[in-house]
Amino acid sequence: MNRSFRQAFLLLALCLLSPIALHPSAAYGQTAQPEYAKWGIVAMEAAKAKYGVPIVDYLHLGRFPAAPGAAEERFKLWLKDGSREFGVIVSVQFYTANDRLITVKFQETDRPTSRRR
């Protein structure tokens, strides 16, 4: 009886201490997405709908306070329309309590934008 108890304990310890048990996402190759990823998709889809041209680059500029209970994620997208390339800063405002979208705004730019926090 002592031997079977010891074997069961070792088996349980191996299961609990294995990387799969500690990090189930590692077993499937999944990685956690950043908080802004959801809003980046919204920004890219809105830009595709507005401009109808390919997005060739993407940069998250940061999260900024918009109003009490709201935040704004800003992205700089680089678009290509034939031989013309241009940047668009997309601001996505949403309520932080429920992640409900408030508005999406666009500002075209040709100049590089530095990251500000």
Side-chain angles (χ1 to χ4, degrees), residues 3-54:
R3 181 179 173 172
S4 63
F5 175 75
R6 199 176 318 145
Q7 286 176 338
F9 178 77
L10 285 173
L11 181 62
L12 180 62
L14 284 173
C15 289
L16 291 176
L17 296 177
S18 72
I20 294 172
L22 295 174
H23 256 285
S25 64
Y28 302 106
Q30 298 172 347
T31 57
Q33 290 188 346
E35 282 185 40
Y36 62 83
K38 166 184 179 172
W39 302 113
I41 292 169
V42 170
M44 289 189 296
E45 288 176 352
K48 283 181 195 174
K50 179 175 174 77
Y51 294 98
V53 298

Side-chain angles (χ1 to χ4, degrees), residues 93-106:
Q93 290 186 0
F94 59 96
Y95 294 108
T96 54
N98 58 13
D99 277 353
R100 201 174 81 216
L101 181 65
I102 299 171
T103 187
V104 179
K105 297 178 183 176
F106 303 92

Side-chain angles (χ1 to χ4, degrees), residues 28-96:
Y28 302 106
Q30 298 172 347
T31 57
Q33 290 188 346
E35 282 185 40
Y36 62 83
K38 166 184 179 172
W39 302 113
I41 292 169
V42 170
M44 289 189 296
E45 288 176 352
K48 283 181 195 174
K50 179 175 174 77
Y51 294 98
V53 298
I55 298 168
V56 295
D57 203 1
Y58 165 102
L59 174 66
H60 177 244
L61 298 175
R63 178 178 283 198
F64 303 88
E72 177 178 293
E73 293 285 1
R74 289 186 199 148
F75 303 89
K76 180 164 186 184
L77 307 179
W78 200 252
L79 287 72
K80 184 169 183 161
D81 185 10
S83 62
R84 177 180 177 241
E85 290 190 11
F86 60 101
V88 177
I89 296 174
V90 184
S91 302
V92 180
Q93 290 186 0
F94 59 96
Y95 294 108
T96 54

